[in-house]
Amino acid sequence: MVRLELDQVVIRRMKEDDIEMVKALIKEGCEGTENRLILHILTRPLCLFILAVFSSILRCLVHSFILALAIPVFLLIVFLKITMPRSTGVLGSSRPYWDYVGSSYRGTQDETLYNPYSRISGKTPLTKKVSIVVCLKFLAAGQVWVADCEGEILGCIFRESETRAGIRRICRLVTGCWYRREGLGRQLVQSLEQRERETGARRVYAHVPYPSKVGEAFFRKLGYQQLGEGADEDNDEEMKLETPERGFLGHPLTKVFYRDL
C-alpha cells in the first residue's frame, strides 16, 4: 500500500496517449470479476436444475458419471466466457469498455474544477495548481476521467452518455491496487458528482458487479441506496427505467445504486 496525497492528484479527461494504460488498469481492477459472475450464475437454482437434467441425459450416453457432470458445466462456462465480456466490460451499458477508451478521449472544450482535497494539507489552489479537468462535449460512448499523479494514472471512472435529462450513470470505477483504501475512489466519485450537480443533474446511478461486496459497501458509505430498497420507489416512474444488467437465463449481473444530488 502506498501513501497517497489526494491534493497532489489531478483528475482529468482521458487522452489518446492514456488508452493503453487505462486498458491495463481496467484489466487489473476487473481481475476475477468475470469468474465471480460465472460462479454466481452457475449456482442459481434454475441453472443447477438445467445442468442436472443435461447430466442425467448424458449419463445414459457416455456411461460415466464424472463426464456427464463435467461436460455440461464446461460447455456452459465456455459459453459464458464468450458472451460475458460485452456485458461486464462497462457495467449497466451495452457497450464494451473498448468502445469507451477508443473514442471518449476526443473532446474540444475543457473545464477546470476546484479540487476539494487541496484543503486537507493546508495548501491552497493559488500556491499549487491542482485541477480536475473534464470535457463538456458528450460523446455517444460516454466519458472517461483518469486520476493522474505526476504522470502516473492511478485510477479511472466511466460515465455513461446522457440518455435521460437530469440523470447520470457511473458504469465503471477502478483504482490501482497500490492506491486502494486511500480515498482515491471517493475522490473520483465526489468530483464527478460535483461537476454533474453543477450541470443540472439531479440523480446519479452506479452499477456494481453483483457478487462485489466491496463495491456495494463503498457506494453505501458514499450515501447511495440500492434500487429496490426505497419506500417511495414505486411512485417514481423514472426509477423504473433503470434496470440491472442481466445475463444467462436473465440472472442479474449488476446491482444498481442511486443517489439524489
Side-chain angles (χ1 to χ4, degrees), residues 38-57:
I38 290 176
L39 180 61
H40 165 71
I41 292 175
L42 289 176
T43 54
R44 297 307 93 194
L46 179 58
C47 186
L48 289 174
F49 174 76
I50 293 175
L51 289 174
V53 171
F54 276 96
S55 294
S56 299
I57 296 174

Side-chain angles (χ1 to χ4, degrees), residues 154-210:
L154 313 180
C156 61
I157 186 169
F158 286 53
R159 201 218 74 180
E160 178 66 283
S161 57
E162 293 184 29
T163 57
R164 306 196 298 275
I167 302 301
R168 307 290 186 267
R169 179 193 289 163
I170 298 172
C171 44
R172 175 67 75 191
L173 172 65
V174 181
T175 58
C177 61
W178 290 102
Y179 303 99
R180 291 170 186 168
R181 301 186 183 277
E182 293 290 325
L184 182 61
R186 177 187 293 269
Q187 182 183 16
L188 283 163
V189 173
Q190 290 179 339
S191 298
L192 181 58
E193 288 178 344
Q194 177 182 341
R195 190 265 173 188
E196 300 305 339
R197 187 183 298 110
E198 293 174 352
T199 58
R202 57 183 176 81
R203 179 176 295 161
V204 176
Y205 288 97
H207 283 250
V208 178
Y210 196 92

Side-chain angles (χ1 to χ4, degrees), residues 43-142:
T43 54
R44 297 307 93 194
L46 179 58
C47 186
L48 289 174
F49 174 76
I50 293 175
L51 289 174
V53 171
F54 276 96
S55 294
S56 299
I57 296 174
L58 284 175
R59 179 70 178 83
C60 301
L61 299 176
V62 299
H63 303 290
S64 172
F65 175 78
I66 296 178
L67 287 178
L69 182 64
I71 289 175
V73 175
F74 173 78
L75 292 177
L76 181 55
I77 290 176
V78 171
F79 172 77
L80 293 175
K81 284 281 188 180
I82 294 174
T83 59
M84 187 77 74
R86 186 167 184 85
S87 297
T88 59
V90 179
L91 299 172
S93 169
S94 61
R95 297 177 181 272
Y97 79 84
W98 51 84
D99 280 358
Y100 277 72
V101 299
S103 62
S104 67
Y105 64 86
R106 300 189 183 96
T108 58
Q109 185 178 3
D110 291 339
E111 178 188 8
T112 300
L113 301 180
Y114 177 71
N115 183 349
Y117 287 92
S118 64
R119 299 192 300 267
I120 294 178
S121 62
K123 299 177 182 178
T124 65
L126 296 177
T127 58
K128 182 177 180 62
K129 185 177 180 180
V130 181
S131 60
I132 298 173
V133 182
V134 297
C135 181
L136 294 178
K137 182 177 180 180
F138 299 109
L139 301 171

Side-chain angles (χ1 to χ4, degrees), residues 1-4 24-31 152-156 174-182 184:
M1 200 70 64
V2 177
R3 181 63 182 175
L4 180 63
L25 187 65
I26 293 172
K27 183 178 180 180
E28 173 193 315
C30 301
E31 185 177 2
E152 181 182 1
I153 294 180
L154 313 180
C156 61
V174 181
T175 58
C177 61
W178 290 102
Y179 303 99
R180 291 170 186 168
R181 301 186 183 277
E182 293 290 325
L184 182 61

